[in-house]
């Protein structure tokens, strides 16, 4: 009898706790993994210096790994983002949905990069993700469940690396929810 009640309790906790403690991003019922942001890189400094700013310097976040764990073939995938307001993590609060974007990542050697700025005489100072990097998405809040959003790219995705990234200035995310399209 004790083993049966322990089994039931453990099963209940395995089903309930992930939905209470974690916000999740899903594709076809499979959870997207996260990759850490390992640091920042400034590129083309020499070019910017030699051309007196005509060729801009740029900054990028370095994302760990050559490729995301989740590889999909769907060119217009539907993602489900579930939020839980009991946790204070940025991805956990549904009011922060407006600050989450889908962006493409650039592959460089054994890591991936998210371009986050450009500095130059002609380019001026751009301290955010380029519009060319952001993928337009449609967002619908679920009518059936609070804190659940259906997210879909408005255009077909090309082969490559992509990530959901938090863009509000007051909080610096430590990871991204990423995936690859093959």
């Amino acid at each position: 009898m004790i083993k049966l009640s322990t089994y039931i309790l453990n099963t209940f906790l395995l089903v309930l706790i992930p939905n209470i403690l974690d916000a999740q991003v899903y594709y076809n019922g499979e959870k997207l993994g996260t990759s850490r942001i390992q640091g920042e890189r400034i590129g083309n400094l020499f070019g910017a210096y030699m051309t007196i700013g005509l060729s801009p310097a740029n900054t990028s976040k370095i994302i760990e790994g050559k490729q995301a764990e989740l590889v999909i073939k769907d060119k217009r995938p539907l993602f489900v983002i579930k939020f839980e307001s009991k946790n204070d993590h940025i991805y956990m609060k549904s009011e922060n949905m407006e600050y989450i974007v889908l962006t493409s990542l650039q592959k460089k050697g054994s890591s991936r990069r998210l371009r986050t700025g450009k500095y130059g005489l002609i380019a001026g100072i751009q301290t955010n993700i380029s519009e060319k990097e952001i993928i337009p998405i449609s967002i619908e809040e679920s009518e059936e469940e609070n804190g659940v959003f259906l997210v879909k790219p408005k255009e077909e995705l090309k082969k490559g690396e992509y990530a959901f990234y938090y863009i509000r200035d007051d909080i610096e995310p430590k990871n991204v929810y990423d995936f690859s399209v093959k």
Side-chain angles (χ1 to χ4, degrees):
M1 186 68 171
I2 294 174
K3 288 188 178 203
L4 180 61
S5 64
T6 303
Y7 174 76
I8 292 171
L9 177 62
N10 287 340
T11 303
F12 175 75
L13 291 175
L14 285 173
V15 170
L16 182 64
I17 286 180
N19 292 327
I20 291 176
L21 298 178
D22 277 359
Q24 305 297 331
V25 180
Y26 294 93
Y27 169 73
N28 281 346
E30 188 173 347
K31 182 176 134 180
L32 265 69
T34 59
S35 291
R36 292 177 302 164
I37 297 172
Q38 295 181 315
E40 204 161 352
R41 180 182 184 285
I42 299 174
N44 196 36
L45 267 177
F46 184 71
Y49 177 76
M50 294 304 289
T51 62
I52 312 168
L54 292 176
S55 177
N58 55 61
T59 58
S60 299
K61 302 277 185 199
I62 307 298
I63 310 296
E64 72 180 338
K66 287 183 180 182
Q67 180 177 310
E69 289 179 25
L70 180 64
V71 179
I72 62 176
K73 293 181 181 177
D74 191 355
K75 303 291 186 204
R76 290 204 55 211
L78 174 64
F79 296 96
V80 175
I81 299 179
K82 295 182 180 183
F83 291 92
E84 181 58 49
S85 62
K86 295 177 184 173
N87 194 314
D88 64 354
H89 188 275
I90 58 173
Y91 289 107
M92 307 294 180
K93 294 181 179 178
S94 60
E95 61 266 18
N96 288 332
M97 188 64 204
E98 67 184 282
Y99 300 108
I100 296 175
V101 296
L102 178 58
T103 182
S104 60
L105 302 176
Q106 309 302 314
K107 290 181 92 167
K108 297 283 186 179
S110 63
S111 65
R112 296 163 292 155
R113 296 184 182 164
L114 171 62
R115 292 186 214 169
T116 55
K118 192 184 279 190
Y119 310 91
L121 190 59
I122 296 174
I125 298 174
Q126 300 171 9
T127 59
N128 52 12
I129 299 170
S130 166
E131 287 181 24
K132 294 188 318 188
E133 309 291 326
I134 294 177
I135 310 300
I137 54 177
S138 65
I139 301 169
E140 293 179 33
E141 190 164 4
S142 173
E143 295 175 6
E144 301 162 5
E145 204 173 340
N146 287 338
V148 175
F149 294 84
L150 307 174
V151 179
K152 188 171 190 160
K154 290 184 177 180
E155 55 196 43
E156 283 193 3
L157 300 177
K158 299 174 183 165
K159 281 182 164 182
E161 296 289 316
Y162 297 90
F164 287 101
Y165 182 73
Y166 187 75
I167 59 169
R168 205 165 94 183
D169 290 336
D170 61 341
I171 298 173
E172 187 71 31
K174 305 250 186 282
N175 60 36
V176 295
Y177 288 92
D178 57 345
F179 63 97
S180 296
V181 174
K182 292 293 173 188

